[in-house]
Amino acid sequence: ISFIPKFINHLFRCKPISMVGAEQLLLDTHSLKTVLLDLPSIGSQVVRKAPASYTKIVVKGMTRAEMILKVVMAPHEPSVVFVDNYIKLLADGNPETFQKTLDMKGLKRSEQSSMLELFRQRLPTPPSGADGGPSLSFSTPTPEQENSRIRKLEKLIKKRL
């Protein structure tokens, strides 16, 4: 589905977004996700499940859009909490994506530069050798992997505070 990446790109063009605007977009995004999941059987006499690969793509992509909006809705102060929330919800280590999210919030460039620096500092470092440190995974993690990553991130946050 090429629709979902285009949808996310158009979300990033919405700036600045107020809290109420982000809440409405989140509701609309959830409704759109539901429609996309039902799309393969709309107008069909036979009700059957959509292919698992289609469902997986829709859920993954639209959940990402929902997480972007949840991050935009979150208060940006304290900065550390905002950055950690972004890393936890989006698992995206790309500074450009983080920048786009800050633009959506309508933050001034001076605020953004300090947030970007904090973002770079807070990213878990990839493991080097056998130390097995926390790392960002860009594939869809299993619930066990997600829980493990969250626990590691919480320990890292506590250690740095």
Side-chain angles (χ1 to χ4, degrees):
I1 282 189
S2 64
F3 169 79
I4 295 172
K6 288 178 183 177
F7 177 74
I8 290 173
N9 283 335
H10 283 286
L11 274 182
F12 281 132
R13 290 183 184 173
C14 301
K15 51 190 169 189
I17 298 178
S18 68
M19 176 67 80
V20 173
E23 287 174 356
Q24 185 60 54
L25 276 171
L26 183 58
L27 289 170
D28 295 344
T29 300
H30 183 73
S31 296
L32 189 54
K33 179 178 167 181
T34 304
V35 168
L36 288 172
L37 289 170
D38 292 341
L39 194 61
S41 63
I42 291 178
S44 174
Q45 297 290 336
V46 180
V47 178
R48 61 180 122 163
K49 271 181 113 173
S53 58
Y54 173 82
T55 302
K56 183 178 178 181
I57 290 169
V58 169
V59 168
K60 184 177 180 182
M62 294 305 286
T63 298
R64 178 169 171 73
E66 290 171 334
M67 292 303 114
I68 289 166
L69 291 167
K70 285 183 180 185
V71 168
V72 170
M73 287 170 46
H76 63 278
E77 293 294 333
S79 301
V80 171
V81 174
F82 177 79
V83 169
D84 289 342
N85 192 39
Y86 173 90
I87 292 169
K88 182 178 81 175
L89 289 176
L90 287 171
D92 187 332
N94 185 342
E96 288 179 21
T97 308
F98 184 68
Q99 174 83 52
K100 290 176 185 178
T101 307
L102 297 177
D103 286 340
M104 288 174 75
K105 288 186 73 60
L107 297 180
K108 295 177 184 146
R109 289 289 173 192
S110 58
E111 290 176 294
Q112 288 187 17
S113 61
S114 62
M115 294 279 268
L116 275 164
E117 182 57 34
L118 184 60
F119 173 72
R120 289 184 179 99
Q121 292 171 5
R122 306 288 295 175
L123 279 178
T125 53
S128 56
D131 70 349
S135 65
L136 283 179
S137 172
F138 293 97
S139 60
T140 305
T142 65
E144 294 81 21
Q145 290 171 324
E146 186 66 25
N147 288 337
S148 173
R149 191 167 70 206
I150 291 170
R151 282 193 299 277
K152 286 179 183 177
L153 186 58
E154 288 171 344
K155 285 180 185 176
L156 184 65
I157 292 168
K158 287 178 184 174
K159 187 166 55 169
R160 291 189 178 175
L161 293 178

